[in-house]
Amino acid sequence: LLVESKCSQECKDDLLSSLPRDRGFFAEHLYQYQGFWYTPNLLKGVLYSQKHFQAKDSDIILVSNPKSGTTWLKSLVFALVYRQEFKTPLESHPLLDNNPHTLVPFIEAFDFNAQDTSPRIFSTHIPLGSLPESIKESSCKVVYCCRNPKDAFVSLWHFMKSLFLKDMVGCTMEEMVSGFCRGSSVYGPFWDHALEYWKESQANPKKVFFVMYEEMREKPEECVMRIAEFLGLPFTEREIEDGVLDGIIKLCSLENLSKLEVNTTGKLVNGMETKAFFRKGETGGWRDTLTPLLAEEIDKMTEEKLIGSSFRF
Ligand code: A3P
């Protein structure tokens, strides 16, 4: 509460009233700050972390657009970083009775002081240009997980419906697609978010590692090995022979995590139901939800945003 009231002071109504505003998907408006869109609460978190988050050189920061594989990346990186402390498969691994969001907190959710492990692992949806300065200045490492915009959109739609149905009065999918394409969705524009990190990963490959959700789905072993190498914690041949890598992938699989009690009936400290973070995890699953016309609207925007870039979703 103390933290909350401190933040409220830092994010006074006069700041909100000076920012561009858009309707958003539900009752709350979205505000544009440093080129990206936030609800008032998320914006408070961004401002607070810009001011107070102090990165250490040994920190690992996991970044993503919402609904792009954050929960999965958190579990994989947690399991691979602490694979000596918590061996898999085990009955007593922290991921068996903690949701990945509890083990790897969001820096904009104000609870970054609670992390006392070493190295510390955090996550964020904050766009590159708005990251706290200490993340840019220290030699901490950033892993970015990106997803196809249509699947991320559909995942967001289902997530919003499961969590906020009563607040989304009158918001049709057509309106939500149009907001998403205008860029005004939480932490949007989706494309600018991903492209900025992708460019940074090209310019600064020791600092930012960029991985696609689809690639992780297709070749999890290879992706996890590359993430481990990037973090300076490569798997040894012996570990691979002993099944350590396989154990981590099985432990963190959607099938396994989504069945655990903590992820079926549990709640996060903010009251969110943990089961909302696990759904189908499909590549191309957007076809079940988006009409061809809406899919085309997102595709057009993707095409437009990628002009001049060699990046492809
Ligand atoms: P779908 O809604 O398409 O099923 P985030 O973690 O960024 O909120 O993203 C949520 C998406 O990741 C959801 O996609 C969810 O099912 C999927 N997901 C969650 N845990 C996963 C895991 N362990 N492996 C693969 N996908 C996972």
Side-chain angles (χ1 to χ4, degrees):
L1 272 178
L2 204 70
V3 172
E4 279 283 357
S5 67
K6 228 162 119 188
C7 290
S8 302
Q9 280 177 9
E10 284 162 20
C11 185
K12 288 188 188 121
D13 287 348
D14 50 340
L15 170 66
L16 285 186
S17 63
S18 71
L19 297 175
R21 199 171 81 148
D22 199 346
R23 183 180 162 266
F25 305 147
F26 41 170
E28 275 182 313
H29 279 97
L30 294 179
Y31 294 85
Q32 192 187 36
Y33 174 71
Q34 298 182 336
F36 290 80
W37 293 89
Y38 307 92
T39 60
N41 251 339
L42 291 174
L43 180 57
K44 273 184 206 170
V46 174
L47 296 174
Y48 185 78
S49 54
Q50 284 183 338
K51 196 154 183 192
H52 300 287
F53 181 73
Q54 273 308 320
K56 294 185 185 175
D57 288 339
S58 56
D59 284 350
I60 297 169
I61 317 283
L62 310 180
V63 192
S64 54
N65 254 313
K67 313 322 289 173
S68 297
T70 322
T71 315
W72 191 17
L73 184 67
K74 286 185 184 199
S75 65
L76 286 170
V77 171
F78 182 91
L80 86 83
V81 166
Y82 301 121
R83 64 190 189 265
Q84 299 301 331
E85 286 87 337
F86 310 113
K87 297 201 190 301
T88 55
L90 255 198
E91 290 80 45
S92 63
H93 196 283
L95 277 163
L96 296 175
D97 35 40
N98 293 277
N99 177 268
H101 294 285
T102 309
L103 297 173
V104 180
F106 280 103
I107 59 174
E108 60 269 49
F110 311 114
D111 54 356
F112 46 77
N113 292 322
Q115 266 285 35
D116 55 0
T117 48
S118 181
R120 304 185 306 173
I121 312 174
F122 294 105
S123 84
T124 185
H125 291 314
I126 300 178
L128 183 72
S130 299
L131 282 178
E133 281 306 311
S134 66
I135 294 185
K136 301 180 210 167
E137 282 159 9
S138 71
S139 39
C140 70
K141 301 250 183 189
V142 173
V143 180
Y144 186 90
C145 182
C146 180
R147 192 177 189 189
N148 171 292
K150 290 192 294 268
D151 281 334
F153 172 84
V154 164
S155 184
L156 183 65
W157 168 257
H158 290 290
F159 183 73
M160 293 289 203
K161 273 206 324 194
S162 71
L163 287 179
F164 304 111
L165 190 59
K166 58 182 180 323
D167 292 330
M168 288 174 71
V169 194
C171 181
T172 62
M173 190 181 297
E174 282 73 14
E175 281 170 331
M176 189 157 149
V177 166
S178 129
F180 185 74
C181 289
R182 262 199 323 275
S184 85
S185 61
V186 278
Y187 297 94
F190 180 93
W191 300 266
D192 305 34
H193 196 286
L195 274 168
E196 286 179 12
Y197 279 100
W198 180 77
K199 273 188 208 144
E200 191 61 22
S201 75
Q202 300 292 298
N204 210 346
K206 289 207 167 88
K207 176 79 179 175
V208 181
F209 182 85
F210 189 99
V211 65
M212 293 296 297
Y213 177 85
E214 290 74 18
E215 210 185 341
M216 299 213 300
R217 271 319 232 166
E218 208 180 308
K219 323 175 249 194
E221 292 83 8
E222 196 184 309
C223 290
V224 174
M225 275 169 66
R226 282 171 48 212
I227 294 172
E229 260 165 52
F230 168 75
L231 296 175
L233 302 164
F235 284 89
T236 61
E237 278 186 21
R238 178 72 198 272
E239 281 182 307
I240 291 171
E241 276 165 25
D242 288 351
V244 177
L245 176 62
D246 279 351
I248 288 175
I249 287 163
K250 280 199 191 102
L251 171 71
C252 300
S253 69
L254 181 61
E255 298 65 37
N256 185 51
L257 291 185
S258 63
K259 280 201 301 253
L260 300 171
E261 197 184 330
V262 66
N263 297 326
T264 48
T265 57
K267 284 195 176 170
L268 298 180
V269 280
N270 63 9
M272 266 188 192
E273 291 189 350
T274 50
K275 65 171 189 265
F277 292 95
F278 306 92
R279 205 179 55 95
K280 293 185 172 173
E282 285 172 354
T283 295
W286 57 266
R287 288 184 181 83
D288 299 342
T289 306
L290 287 179
T291 62
L293 215 62
L294 292 178
E296 200 185 306
E297 200 175 329
I298 299 180
D299 282 343
K300 266 200 194 136
M301 187 47 66
T302 303
E303 224 173 276
E304 215 171 278
K305 292 280 188 182
L306 292 181
I307 292 173
S309 166
S310 58
F311 175 69
R312 291 293 170 266
F313 284 99

